[in-house]
Amino acid sequence: METILIEKDCLEQAAEIIKRGGLVAMPTETVYGLAADALNGAAVAKIFAAKGRPMDNPLIVHIADLSQWDGLVREVPEKARILAETFWPGPLTIILPKADCIPDEVSAGLDTVAVRFPSHPVAQELIRRSVPLAAPSANLSGSPSPTNARHVWDDMNGRIDAVINGDDCAVGVESTVITLASDPPRVLRPGGVTVEQLREAIGEVTVDSAVLQPLQSGEQAASPGMKYKHYSPRARIVLLNGPEQAFVDYVNRHAGEGIAALCYEEEIPALNVPVISIGAENDYAQQANRLFTALREVDERGFRLAYAHCPDTEGMGLAVYNRMIRAAGFEVIDLEA
Ligand code: AMP
Ligand code: MG
């Protein structure tokens, strides 16, 4: 298949592709999404084929007007309304029992549907010119998510109809996913809206244990997507958990051919290996913004192993930690303080 590049001010062509059942990669404020008509099961099935995504991993439906939400879910309860008023448009995905019109390809056979109202003007305009869009991240399944049009092109050229040539993503990690189909509401994936912000808006919110740990054997995944190793470059990533000096000493002792460090800006001068910075130690938003580009850079520069400093789990740090630990396949070394 020939993939075309569409400029962001020529969205009519992209809308036409969607309406006839094709696939278009679009910029959003979180990461680039791979979009299809959410109510066309055959079109949605092509997303799974293009990404090599397991069919049991459900997709998020993107809307550009609150009125579209009502048609997609059975009802919108009070807490959902408050979350929407507080965080939409923006990087929050809300799961509720689904309406009958949602194809099984979107919900992966679950009786719920995940919905988000993105703030990105290009995503909004594409939805307004077409229909609600089912869209996962526009990367090959398992690899780091795309935060610019080049990442998408590298993964998807020849596999989809079109890529919209937009700007780099502002947030850089995927949306926060919260389910209101359970009580109390539960975060299934941390992202651009923090757990602290959610609690401020609606009170008690729990965090699914799979956010921080691998699923224990016999444990049921709340979302099938939580089972898989994810966000990984081809190179091996090993997380080192400990203070700056311990991190620097460990990496310098293990320096060698093909080995790099994924580190904080402040650590660069002390490291004797090639470095890829994910940002300043206390700037979680910057780390989120750079994380996936940094993970892709590990492969682009030909490293076989990168030692990464284990991120903090406060605020947006939790989203960075959640991606990093999956990129590392949960391989963590605890360093002495
Ligand atoms: P991505 O494919 O990277 O955009 O991620 C979509 C995320 O939303 C995945 O982690 C899915 O497992 C999750 N998700 C989507 N729909 C549902 C649902 N109905 N229930 C639980 N998780 C969902
Ligand atoms: Mg994804």
Side-chain angles (χ1 to χ4, degrees), residues 53 57-60 95 110 112-114 135-137 174 177 188-189 222-223 225:
R53 180 180 176 102
N57 192 0
L59 306 182
I60 295 167
I95 295 175
L110 302 173
T112 53
V113 64
S137 51
E174 298 84 346
V177 177
L188 302 184
R189 178 176 75 183
S223 159

Side-chain angles (χ1 to χ4, degrees), residues 198-240:
L198 293 170
R199 287 183 179 141
E200 213 167 288
I202 55 167
E204 187 181 4
V205 168
T206 60
V207 177
D208 197 284
S209 60
V211 165
L212 290 167
Q213 305 160 24
L215 282 178
Q216 310 301 302
S217 62
E219 199 178 352
Q220 186 84 35
S223 159
M226 299 161 93
K227 286 188 302 205
Y228 307 107
K229 179 174 172 181
H230 234 91
Y231 317 115
S232 318
R234 289 184 299 278
R236 179 173 156 214
I237 306 291
V238 176
L239 286 190
L240 302 178

Side-chain angles (χ1 to χ4, degrees), residues 278-289:
I278 66 161
E281 179 163 12
N282 294 321
D283 190 341
Y284 303 133
Q286 184 179 54
Q287 293 167 25
N289 182 269

Side-chain angles (χ1 to χ4, degrees), residues 31-32 51 53 57 136-146 174 189 230-231 292:
V31 302
Y32 272 69
K51 282 181 58 91
R53 180 180 176 102
N57 192 0
S137 51
N139 53 304
L140 290 173
S141 186
S143 74
S145 301
E174 298 84 346
R189 178 176 75 183
H230 234 91
Y231 317 115
F292 287 131

Side-chain angles (χ1 to χ4, degrees), residues 260-288:
L262 275 168
C263 64
Y264 299 127
E265 205 72 36
E266 296 86 340
E267 294 165 340
I268 294 175
L271 286 162
N272 294 333
V273 300
V275 293
I276 300 171
S277 163
I278 66 161
E281 179 163 12
N282 294 321
D283 190 341
Y284 303 133
Q286 184 179 54
Q287 293 167 25

